[in-house]
Amino acid sequence: MPGYRDFVPRQGFQPTLALSPDASTVAYASNAGGHFDLWTVAVGGGEPQQLTRSVDQAVRQIAWAPDGKSLVFAADREGDEQYRLYRIGLDDEGPIEISSRRDCQRILATSPFDADGRFLVYAANDRDATVQDVLVRDLAEESERRIEPPAGVVFEPVGISPDGRWLLAGGFLSNSQVDAYLIDLQDAAAEPVCVTAEHGDGFFEPAPWAADSSGFYLRTDLWGEYTSAAFYRLDTRALEPVARHDWDVEHIDVAGDTLVWSVNEDGRSALHARHGRNSVQLPSMPPGVIAALAIAPAAEPVVVLLDTATRPAEIAALGSAEGFRYLTDARPPALRVFEPVEPEPVVYPASAGRTVHALLYRPRSPGPHPVLLSVHGGPEAQERPMYLRSGLYQHLLSRGIAVFAPNIAGSTGYGAAHQKLIYRDWGGPDLDDLDHATRYLQADPGIDDDRIAVMGGSYGGFAALSCLARLPYRWAAGVSLCGPTNLVTLARACPPTWKNFVATVLGDPETHADYLTQRSPITYADAITAPLFVLQGARDPRVPRAEADQFVARLREHGVNVRYDVFEDEGHGFTNRENELRAYEEIAQFLCSHF
């Protein structure tokens, strides 16, 4: 029988793609060499080329210079999220750092260069750790212009208009409250102007500029529960609908007169395109999730990072002549002998007349089966049909273990109201939805209701621990990866630029301490009796290691069977490939042993 590592993809990817200006080459971040390095592959096919060889870094963002001769990228060390900026030529032996060596968080603009490649745009909190400014760096004169955001707003730059006049940035108060800002680059004293304020509070996330600089595209919930594609016209200040669906628009990209967007249809990505005013018929692609998207003029080619439930994330190209074709091959050896399982979509009832969408993976062997209740992170994220946890789901299925993955309160993809249910209410409606999920599983004749375990990472770890501590079931086991145990210390330890965001979504640790304590798993730790596996990064900048240390010690004092693995060179999640594989291999063995 194949072991866990037989299900592991040959490589993993960061959700970032960059298509060269001549549309011949794709740049991406892969851990095929052990860490997330910078790679390129020809759109026409061929062997990928590795441009960097790091020992402790992870490439997170990538962009081509306009001349196509070099790239810039952002990378952090051992998951510390203190991103530095680098530049590398296609024939260089290694990258050159172009940011100061001072530790801070730097984020490249979506399109960081102006048309001539002289100016580079990024965000940083180097001036004030709690504030994320936008910087426009003159690469010729080695000077910088700094644009400070309004109080409480986190700036994330998008890019400079093709005519060089305007800089576009998103101003974030939370994941659901975002505005579009314009900065006049011809006036050094100009203040950023919010151009979406007249439409009220809401979601107005700016996307690429139109090629003629007449305006920019954006995603907005102005017209309903779901996110639409829109266009902001500079001359009239009008906001015009471009694409409205009964699901969320998730990605928008523009090249010349070509517009491509993808729609999240109940978890799966549907791709759309138009050239000028005419729709473009794109080749069909396997059902899955587009994690990143890049296009060339006339939609030739469209390049995607596509993840499906039955094939790991891969880079693929779509063109009218060649159709759909993969440019990489990350398929693990087990998929040659084991037929991977597609999840079945499920809708189960919850409180107050609500329903919850979920994915149920059933083993092909006869049941009833033990089941893993898997909770996604975020919480503002979505469980989608992907090859998740580096093959862990499919490995468990091969061992006769089902996986149930719900999109509980707080999840994205099912309307703004569902997403906002969890605001300042962690461990409330979300835990109630998990209670209903457990009841749903117990009523399924194909599930062994005496063998239900729960697992999650980050927020999902918090949710898993809350299930073990607060729901009245006899759990077979639990797994928490970098899961918060104390919401007060979580709120206090958040990255400095997240302070206002965390106060909105989670709560203020000074004014809401009693509520945050009442919802923290540590408060109910004595109620946990199930075997537990806790995994934690020692350098985690979001969930302090001390939380996990305290929680594990408390459980062990009460005789609970707790395994505790600390990864000294990791932060919030995994950047070292071997660490990731060892962790999931141990999780698989832990779950199988307790089932």
Side-chain angles (χ1 to χ4, degrees):
M1 178 179 292
Y4 163 70
R5 295 211 178 204
D6 295 314
F7 288 86
V8 172
R10 296 177 183 175
Q11 61 183 319
F13 300 87
Q14 288 288 317
T16 180
L17 287 179
L19 187 61
S20 62
D22 64 1
S24 67
T25 308
V26 185
Y28 59 96
S30 162
N31 64 1
H35 293 82
F36 284 106
D37 280 299
L38 178 61
W39 293 69
T40 61
V41 66
V43 173
E47 286 297 315
Q49 303 297 313
Q50 186 175 356
L51 271 62
T52 64
R53 288 173 169 79
S54 63
V55 295
D56 61 355
Q57 285 187 300
V59 173
R60 305 287 192 173
Q61 293 177 288
I62 307 166
W64 287 89
D67 62 7
K69 296 179 181 179
S70 64
L71 299 107
V72 295
F73 63 92
D76 65 340
R77 284 188 168 85
E78 296 182 340
D80 64 3
E81 299 184 9
Q82 300 298 294
Y83 306 113
R84 294 179 177 179
L85 305 181
Y86 301 85
R87 190 166 191 168
I88 187 170
L90 296 179
D91 298 321
D92 291 350
E93 292 185 2
I96 297 173
E97 185 171 353
I98 57 176
S99 56
S100 67
R101 303 196 68 83
R102 178 181 174 184
D103 283 342
C104 70
Q105 179 173 291
R106 301 174 182 88
I107 299 175
L108 281 172
T110 308
S111 299
F113 287 102
D114 68 324
D116 298 324
R118 175 173 176 172
F119 297 102
L120 179 73
V121 181
Y122 65 99
N125 65 337
D126 56 331
R127 176 182 61 86
D128 181 334
T130 66
V131 179
Q132 191 158 286
D133 300 334
V134 170
L135 294 102
V136 182
R137 181 168 185 174
D138 187 327
L139 297 174
E141 297 183 359
E142 292 297 320
S143 60
E144 286 184 334
R145 174 181 171 184
R146 183 182 297 272
I147 299 102
E148 299 178 16
V153 173
V154 175
F155 265 171
E156 290 194 7
V158 176
I160 297 173
S161 58
D163 63 6
R165 172 69 187 276
W166 301 100
L167 171 61
L168 175 64
F172 286 73
L173 291 172
S174 70
N175 281 341
S176 59
Q177 189 172 352
V178 185
D179 280 304
Y181 285 79
L182 285 175
I183 298 102
D184 189 344
L185 295 181
Q186 294 183 1
D187 181 356
E191 295 290 328
V193 176
C194 179
V195 296
T196 51
E198 63 188 86
H199 299 286
D201 292 338
F203 184 77
F204 303 94
E205 183 180 58
W209 282 95
D212 60 3
S213 299
S214 62
F216 58 87
Y217 294 89
L218 69 156
R219 298 190 308 128
T220 179
D221 62 359
L222 179 63
W223 299 295
E225 276 287 295
Y226 292 95
T227 304
S228 301
F231 185 74
Y232 180 86
R233 195 168 296 280
L234 291 182
D235 55 358
T236 64
R237 299 193 303 176
L239 198 57
E240 305 168 354
V242 171
R244 295 177 65 180
H245 303 266
D246 292 332
W247 300 98
D248 287 335
V249 172
E250 56 183 358
H251 299 290
I252 302 174
D253 202 3
V254 177
D257 292 333
T258 301
L259 173 70
V260 174
W261 68 97
S262 63
V263 180
N264 174 355
E265 297 183 355
D266 199 13
R268 290 174 170 81
S269 298
L271 202 56
H272 304 265
R274 75 180 194 193
H275 185 65
R277 295 182 178 275
N278 300 317
S279 296
V280 175
Q281 186 66 40
L282 296 172
S284 61
M285 63 180 188
V289 177
I290 294 174
L293 168 69
I295 68 168
E300 293 285 349
V302 176
V303 179
V304 296
L305 178 58
L306 181 67
D307 200 342
T308 76
T310 57
R311 177 166 176 160
E314 306 273 22
I315 298 172
L318 296 85
S320 56
E322 302 86 358
F324 174 90
R325 54 199 169 84
Y326 284 111
L327 303 181
T328 58
D329 189 351
R331 288 174 294 180
L335 296 194
R336 299 191 186 101
V337 296
F338 172 77
E339 184 180 356
V341 174
E342 283 275 3
E344 57 185 84
V346 166
V347 180
Y348 68 86
S351 295
R354 294 189 303 108
T355 57
V356 176
H357 291 246
L359 296 176
L360 176 56
Y361 298 76
R362 291 187 189 272
R364 299 188 186 281
S365 58
H369 303 103
V371 63
L372 173 66
L373 176 57
S374 181
V375 189
H376 65 66
E380 293 171 283
Q382 183 182 9
E383 186 76 26
R384 305 181 69 179
M386 300 186 291
Y387 197 85
L388 292 168
R389 306 287 188 193
S390 291
L392 178 63
Y393 281 14
Q394 295 295 339
H395 169 62
L396 294 177
L397 288 160
S398 75
R399 298 292 300 271
I401 299 169
V403 178
F404 189 73
N407 283 302
I408 56 177
S411 302
T412 55
Y414 301 96
H418 186 74
Q419 178 180 344
K420 294 178 183 178
L421 282 172
I422 201 174
Y423 278 23
R424 296 188 183 180
D425 206 5
W426 288 33
D430 50 341
L431 186 60
D432 188 62
D433 286 356
L434 289 167
D435 184 16
H436 281 79
T438 309
R439 297 186 213 174
Y440 178 86
L441 292 171
Q442 290 180 324
D444 187 325
I447 298 298
D448 183 346
D449 60 5
D450 283 331
R451 293 187 292 168
I452 301 177
V454 62
M455 178 183 78
S458 189
Y459 160 80
F462 159 82
L465 295 174
S466 297
C467 284
L468 297 174
R470 297 178 57 195
L471 294 185
Y473 301 108
R474 190 179 66 179
W475 299 95
V479 179
S480 171
L481 297 90
C482 53
T485 65
N486 186 323
L487 297 184
V488 176
T489 56
L490 173 70
R492 287 175 176 161
C494 71
T497 55
W498 291 20
K499 183 176 180 180
N500 291 315
F501 173 87
V502 168
T504 299
V505 176
L506 176 58
D508 188 308
E510 308 309 323
T511 59
H512 300 105
D514 289 344
Y515 144 71
L516 293 173
T517 299
Q518 190 266 334
R519 294 293 179 84
S520 297
I522 189 71
T523 303
Y524 307 93
D526 294 350
I528 294 178
T529 59
L532 178 63
F533 189 3
V534 176
L535 301 93
Q536 177 70 37
R539 297 167 59 87
D540 194 329
R542 307 187 201 180
V543 180
R545 172 184 173 174
E547 280 194 37
D549 290 346
Q550 179 186 12
F551 193 76
V552 169
R554 172 95 165 262
L555 292 178
R556 286 176 173 169
E557 287 175 1
H558 289 269
V560 178
N561 177 8
V562 183
R563 173 171 177 176
Y564 185 32
D565 285 8
V566 176
F567 295 82
E568 298 294 339
D569 57 346
E570 295 286 9
H572 195 68
F574 298 104
T575 58
N576 181 300
R577 182 170 170 79
E578 181 53 36
N579 285 346
E580 179 183 25
L581 301 189
R582 177 168 67 86
Y584 285 126
E585 186 171 36
E586 297 293 342
I587 289 171
Q589 293 174 0
F590 174 84
L591 290 171
C592 289
S593 68
H594 289 289
F595 277 140

